[in-house]
Amino acid sequence: MQGYFWFVGKRALQLLAVVFFGISATFFVTHLSPIDPVEQVLGRMTARANFAPEAIVAMRQALTEMYGTNEPLLSQYINFWLRLMRGDLGPSLLAFPTPAMALVMRALPWTLGLLITSTIITFVIGNLFGGLAGYAQDNKFFKAFGIVAMGLQPIPYYIVAFILLIIFGFLWPVLPISGGFAMNVTPGWNWTFVGSVLTHSILPALSLVLVGFGGWFIGMRALVSNVVTEDYVTYAELAGVERKTIVGGYVMRNALVPQFTALAMTLGGVFSGTVITEQVFNYPGMGSLLIDAVNAGDYSLVLAVSTVSVSAVALAIFIVDLLHPLLDPRVRAE
């Protein structure tokens, strides 16, 4: 047990290092870009109304002091981490004076719900059917399923999203194609709102599932094809052990261990897929918020979204990594 705690400590240090360098990279990328957020805000404000030159100068000075863009880059970097420790990244230029973190906290549940749901469904379907296909290699249904899985797996997320949008939004308009819930529904913990949220999430989640389950299917089928040739599986079959016990207890259980490792590696890719999917379906998650922030040159909002995204994905990978030694006793945690 002491070895496992040492393993957790090393993985925790790796987690902190990943979060630190990931957030730092985002900070320098945004601050070294040629886009000036202050000028972006002034451009939008002056386009809506006529301001006196003195007022524009005063607003430019006030915004520059508020965001500290007149300070050296190192000072801005240190101040950024000090503000981040307090959970305050300043107001968003896109929705001034709303705090950037407040906008992120509103969008985070939508992205987490979509990401967690699609990942679980994809992982379960892909591994279940892949395992059965690897064990029953002559089954015609699983052969056909494998052809479909291999055909969908290389297609980009946005292509599948556009196809679903055309089919269910125009050719057969039975599902909503935009937003997180119906406009005439009041948000709250009631069946009307929950049902509307679930209905609006079908197409975004389906686009992620259709693209993602192929990789799990192919990987699991290959793993099971190797496991079924092991001596202990052959001995269990000759000993008359029930087939469901062999498939579930001997074959699938052992083949799932590498898949959990792969799950940690694919979480980042799934998150990038949600960014594209949310933009296609105008889903009110962090992906849509990030695109709007980048287009508006909103440093604070980009950093807030990136900070939460990097931390969430790194934490999910950390949790999956900690489960690996518990799932496979052959792995030595130390």
Side-chain angles (χ1 to χ4, degrees):
M1 196 65 181
Q2 183 179 359
Y4 182 74
F5 284 125
W6 177 244
F7 171 80
V8 173
K10 291 191 295 184
R11 290 297 183 268
L13 292 177
Q14 292 179 2
L15 169 66
L16 295 177
V18 169
V19 172
F20 174 78
F21 287 110
I23 295 175
S24 297
T26 305
F27 173 87
F28 287 112
V29 168
T30 55
H31 283 71
L32 292 176
S33 68
I35 300 176
D36 189 342
V38 175
E39 295 301 327
Q40 292 282 328
V41 175
L42 289 176
R44 290 197 299 268
M45 295 177 65
T46 54
R48 298 173 184 173
N50 294 324
F51 291 94
E54 297 80 5
I56 296 177
V57 172
M59 285 189 294
R60 179 180 288 108
Q61 182 178 358
L63 290 172
T64 300
E65 293 177 355
M66 178 183 298
Y67 289 95
T69 55
N70 58 336
E71 299 179 0
L73 185 61
L74 180 59
S75 299
Q76 295 184 48
Y77 179 67
I78 295 174
N79 291 332
F80 162 73
W81 278 105
L82 293 176
R83 287 186 282 109
L84 181 60
M85 296 302 176
R86 301 193 302 267
D88 177 23
L89 291 179
S92 167
L93 295 175
L94 184 64
F96 190 85
T98 306
M101 274 298 181
L103 295 176
V104 172
M105 290 300 106
R106 294 176 193 172
L108 182 60
W110 297 96
T111 297
L112 284 181
L114 181 62
L115 179 63
I116 293 174
T117 303
S118 60
T119 301
I120 292 176
I121 294 175
T122 303
F123 185 81
V124 171
I125 293 177
N127 285 289
L128 177 61
F129 282 86
L132 295 176
Y135 186 79
Q137 299 180 11
D138 296 329
N139 188 287
K140 294 182 179 180
F141 171 78
F142 292 124
K143 287 184 178 180
F145 193 88
I147 294 174
V148 174
M150 288 186 290
L152 290 174
Q153 196 267 337
I155 302 178
Y157 288 103
Y158 59 90
I159 297 296
V160 176
F162 279 125
I163 292 175
L164 293 176
L165 190 148
I166 293 173
I167 293 175
F168 294 102
F170 299 96
L171 299 180
W172 188 32
V174 294
L175 291 173
I177 60 175
S178 178
F181 56 93
M183 297 181 63
N184 60 345
V185 175
T186 303
W189 292 106
N190 54 77
W191 288 112
T192 303
F193 175 71
V194 173
S196 180
V197 170
L198 293 176
T199 304
H200 281 73
S201 66
I202 291 177
L203 289 183
L206 185 60
S207 67
L208 296 173
V209 171
L210 289 177
V211 176
F213 83 89
W216 295 116
F217 177 89
I218 297 171
M220 190 63 174
R221 185 179 62 180
L223 290 169
V224 169
S225 298
N226 293 326
V227 173
V228 294
T229 61
E230 296 289 341
D231 293 339
Y232 62 87
V233 177
T234 304
Y235 180 79
E237 292 175 341
L238 295 175
V241 180
E242 293 185 359
R243 174 164 294 188
K244 63 179 181 179
T245 302
I246 296 175
V247 175
Y250 296 168
V251 178
M252 299 279 285
R253 182 178 179 181
N254 290 326
L256 270 176
V257 175
Q259 293 294 80
F260 275 100
T261 303
L263 176 62
M265 299 173 62
T266 57
L267 285 175
V270 175
F271 180 81
S272 64
T274 60
V275 173
I276 301 173
T277 302
E278 288 176 4
Q279 188 68 12
V280 172
F281 293 102
N282 194 27
Y283 202 71
M286 294 179 63
S288 299
L289 190 64
L290 178 61
I291 298 298
D292 294 338
V294 171
N295 291 333
D298 190 343
Y299 281 2
S300 298
L301 191 53
V302 170
L303 287 172
V305 173
S306 301
T307 298
V308 174
S309 302
V310 170
S311 302
V313 173
L315 181 61
I317 295 174
F318 173 71
I319 293 173
V320 173
D321 202 16
L322 294 187
L323 291 176
H324 192 197
L326 300 179
L327 295 171
D328 187 2
R330 296 172 299 179
V331 177
R332 297 182 62 186
E334 66 272 19

